[in-house]
Amino acid sequence: MRKVTVFLLISTFLLSGCWDQRLYKELSVISVIGIEGHIGDIKSYFAYPSSNSDPTKYIVLEGTGKTLRETRIDANKKTEQTMDNAELTTLLVNEESAQKDLYALLDVYYRSAQSPMNAKVVITKGSPKKFLEIKETSSKEIGEYYYDLITAFEDTTIYH
């Protein structure tokens, strides 16, 4: 009986593996999301790199729906890969949308186990889509660009 117990105990260590593994080659990794509208009528914009070899070139997808989950599902239908916001760095929220109920808009991202809790929230004047359609070439990926911009602003001002 003791040999069987030892065998089962050792075999459990050998059988364990990465059961929740997600391969980046099968995902569109979203780093910036733009939100405008209110619950019931929302538009979201999702930016992700268009190629693995050059992350500075990216695609912006638009999704519409009554909730933020519906907008993500709608945008996900427009891409060949599954969208993943595990590396979300910045949330751009329209000023009018933020005035009504900002927490209701952010709830879906901060309750998800896959979303990072350190994403920066930016309130934009006008549509966040124009902030995602930057035509200048940058040496950084768009999410990293906005994250570094916000962090530098925080470091040089009283807003910590």
Side-chain angles (χ1 to χ4, degrees), residues 16-27 84 86 114:
S16 65
C18 297
W19 58 270
D20 65 343
Q21 172 179 304
R22 293 175 299 164
L23 299 175
Y24 279 149
K25 69 180 182 178
E26 299 169 358
L27 301 172
D84 181 24
Q114 296 167 343

Side-chain angles (χ1 to χ4, degrees), residues 16 18-19 33 36 38 45 48 51 53-54 57 82 92 97-98 106 119 121-122 128 134 139-140 151:
S16 65
C18 297
W19 58 270
I33 297 175
E36 65 181 336
H38 302 288
Y45 307 98
Y48 69 94
S51 72
S53 60
D54 188 7
K57 294 181 181 169
T82 303
L92 305 172
S97 303
L106 302 179
V121 179
V122 178
I134 306 172
S139 61
K140 299 179 179 181
T151 304

Side-chain angles (χ1 to χ4, degrees), residues 36-156:
E36 65 181 336
H38 302 288
I39 301 296
D41 183 29
I42 298 178
K43 271 189 187 175
S44 295
Y45 307 98
F46 303 88
Y48 69 94
S50 59
S51 72
N52 292 335
S53 60
D54 188 7
T56 61
K57 294 181 181 169
Y58 56 93
I59 297 171
V60 177
L61 291 176
E62 181 178 323
T64 57
K66 294 181 181 181
T67 66
L68 286 167
R69 279 196 176 91
E70 284 183 15
T71 63
R72 187 175 61 199
I73 291 168
D74 183 47
N76 204 18
K77 292 176 186 175
K78 299 172 186 174
T79 182
E80 66 280 353
Q81 296 177 321
T82 303
M83 293 189 327
D84 181 24
N85 58 352
E87 293 192 17
L88 182 65
T89 59
T90 311
L91 285 162
L92 305 172
V93 182
N94 183 328
E95 182 179 27
E96 295 166 4
S97 303
Q99 287 176 348
K100 186 170 182 182
D101 192 5
L102 181 62
Y103 291 116
L105 295 173
L106 302 179
D107 186 58
V108 70
Y109 296 109
Y110 286 105
R111 285 191 186 263
S112 173
Q114 296 167 343
S115 295
M117 294 298 291
N118 63 344
K120 303 288 185 183
V121 179
V122 178
I123 309 299
T124 65
K125 284 190 182 259
S127 176
K129 184 177 183 178
K130 68 182 179 183
F131 293 95
L132 296 176
E133 294 178 338
I134 306 172
K135 298 300 178 199
E136 299 113 24
T137 57
S138 173
S139 61
K140 299 179 179 181
E141 191 267 330
I142 187 169
E144 186 180 355
Y145 169 78
Y146 277 120
Y147 188 83
D148 290 346
L149 180 72
I150 296 163
T151 304
F153 178 76
E154 288 174 342
D155 290 343
T156 58

